[in-house]
Structures are given as C-alpha cells and as structure tokens.
C-alpha cells in the first residue's frame, strides 16, 4: 500500500449544513468514507490535497486514505460539485479489498477516423462510458477504442471489447457502443449513381 498516493483525513464529530459550510470556508471538504464492509465514517479533507490526489487517480485508481493514522486502500466513489462554481461540495470515498472484484464506471476514448466517414458516413457514439468489473488494481482509468476500420453500417458492441488483466465489461445485452451510419452525403451519392 506504500506505493499509492495518500490522502489525509480527519474524522468529523458534527454533521449538517452549517458545519459543512464552515468547513468549506476554512478550505476543507466534507467527506464520507465507506469501508469495504459498508460502514460509514464522516470525514473532512483538505481541498487542495483532495484536488491533487483526484487529478492523478480519478475514479478508477486506488489511493490510500489515512484517517488519523488508520490507512486503507480506497477509490473515489462520488464527487459533488457546486452547480455554478468549479469547487467540490462533497466527496464519497469507498474502501476496497484489493483481492475482491468491484464494479466501476469507466470512460471510453475513441481514436482514429472511421473509414466509413470518408465516403459520407457519420460516426455515431452511443456510449461514452461503460460499467466494468475486476480487482481494484487491474482497473483501467479509461478504455481506448480504435474506430479506424469501421465502415458504413459497421459497429463495435460492448462484447467486442478486449479488456486485459481479468477485467470484464458488465452487461446483460450486447449493446452498440459506436457505429458508422449512412449519412446524407452517402445517400445522395448512391441516388446519383442509380
């Protein structure tokens, strides 16, 4: 666990909106830590430290949460921002057992130019993130998908993804993630040819 980034936190004895407002005014963020058994502990964390750790690990990489000397591996589970400001309002942190599988939501990154778009097709992205499961240290921060070979009416489904390290996509229906549909230019070209 020593290789992970560490976020220091203190236990909060009091809760409520007034307490949370005072914490934020002093540069702290209210947080809740859920251990791997589901038990919760109200915490406060330094906002600058929180931003520094979150910018490096996002939601899919393990870090250490140090609650007054008690260190646990964890993931960021939910981060609430103020609607009109780019400031964190509240954070939920989830303790993980490194030997047990968990499910997380991970973003998809699409690379390349689909060959179907070069002849008038339109690339349609149906999902920008998917749910995956695996052991915490195997989970990727993102999944990259190469769309270069997609022609008109081709698609990549969730079941087509090749994930490494025992990671699996979590789905009941083999849904389409991205595809190339016939575009107006291609339709007009086909009519002209006819």
């Amino acid at each position: 666990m020593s290789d992970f980034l560490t976020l220091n936190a203190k236990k909060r004895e009091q809760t409520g909106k007034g307490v949370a407002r005072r914490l934020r005014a002093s540069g702290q963020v209210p947080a809740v830590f859920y251990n791997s058994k589901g038990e919760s502990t109200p915490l406060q964390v330094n906002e600058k430290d929180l931003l520094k750790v979150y910018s490096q690990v996002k939601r899919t990489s393990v870090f250490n949460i140090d609650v007054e000397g008690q260190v646990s591996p964890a993931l960021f589970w939910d981060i609430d921002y103020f609607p009109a400001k780019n400031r964190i309002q509240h954070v939920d942190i989830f303790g993980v057992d490194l030997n047990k599988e968990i499910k997380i939501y991970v973003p998809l990154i699409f690379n390349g130019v689909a060959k179907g778009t070069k002849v008038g097709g339109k690339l349609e992205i149906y999902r920008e993130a998917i749910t995956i499961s695996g052991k915490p240290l195997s989970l990727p921060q993102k999944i990259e998908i190469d769309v270069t070979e997609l022609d008109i009416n081709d698609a990549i489904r969730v079941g087509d993804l090749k994930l490494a390290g025992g990671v699996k996509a979590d789905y009941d229906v083999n849904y389409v993630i991205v595809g190339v549909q016939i575009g107006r230019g291609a339709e007009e070209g086909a009519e002209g040819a006819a």
Side-chain angles (χ1 to χ4, degrees), residues 51-64:
L51 290 169
K52 183 178 175 185
V53 172
Y54 182 71
S55 71
Q56 294 181 58
V57 303
K58 303 294 184 208
R59 291 184 189 227
T60 60
S61 295
V62 176
F63 66 97
N64 282 332

Side-chain angles (χ1 to χ4, degrees), residues 16-140:
K17 289 183 180 179
V19 173
R21 224 180 343 262
R22 287 192 294 276
L23 279 174
R24 290 186 202 104
S26 68
Q28 300 290 306
V29 175
V32 176
F33 173 66
Y34 298 90
N35 68 19
S36 56
K37 297 173 189 165
E39 301 160 342
S40 64
T41 306
L43 303 175
Q44 65 188 59
V45 295
N46 179 282
E47 185 175 19
K48 288 180 183 173
D49 294 345
L50 171 62
L51 290 169
K52 183 178 175 185
V53 172
Y54 182 71
S55 71
Q56 294 181 58
V57 303
K58 303 294 184 208
R59 291 184 189 227
T60 60
S61 295
V62 176
F63 66 97
N64 282 332
I65 181 84
D66 183 337
V67 182
E68 299 174 3
Q70 188 170 349
V71 180
S72 304
L75 292 170
F76 287 110
W77 200 250
D78 191 26
I79 294 187
D80 291 330
Y81 287 87
F82 285 102
K85 306 174 196 171
N86 192 21
R87 287 194 65 196
I88 296 174
Q89 181 173 322
H90 178 87
V91 62
D92 287 334
I93 298 167
F94 180 68
V96 294
D97 181 333
L98 299 180
N99 297 311
K100 289 186 180 174
E101 287 194 356
I102 59 169
K103 288 183 186 180
I104 62 162
Y105 208 52
V106 67
L108 301 173
I109 306 296
F110 300 94
N111 297 323
V113 176
K115 66 182 177 184
T117 62
K118 296 175 184 174
V119 292
K122 183 179 178 199
L123 185 73
E124 298 281 353
I125 295 173
Y126 300 105
R127 298 285 175 111
E128 294 188 356
I130 63 167
T131 302
I132 59 173
S133 60
K135 291 186 179 176
L137 296 181
S138 302
L139 300 172

Side-chain angles (χ1 to χ4, degrees), residues 144-166:
E144 299 198 25
I145 298 174
D146 183 4
V147 299
T148 309
E149 293 303 314
L150 288 180
D151 208 341
I152 291 175
N153 294 327
D154 286 347
I156 296 174
R157 296 178 173 273
V158 66
D160 299 331
L161 298 179
K162 305 286 187 261
L163 303 173

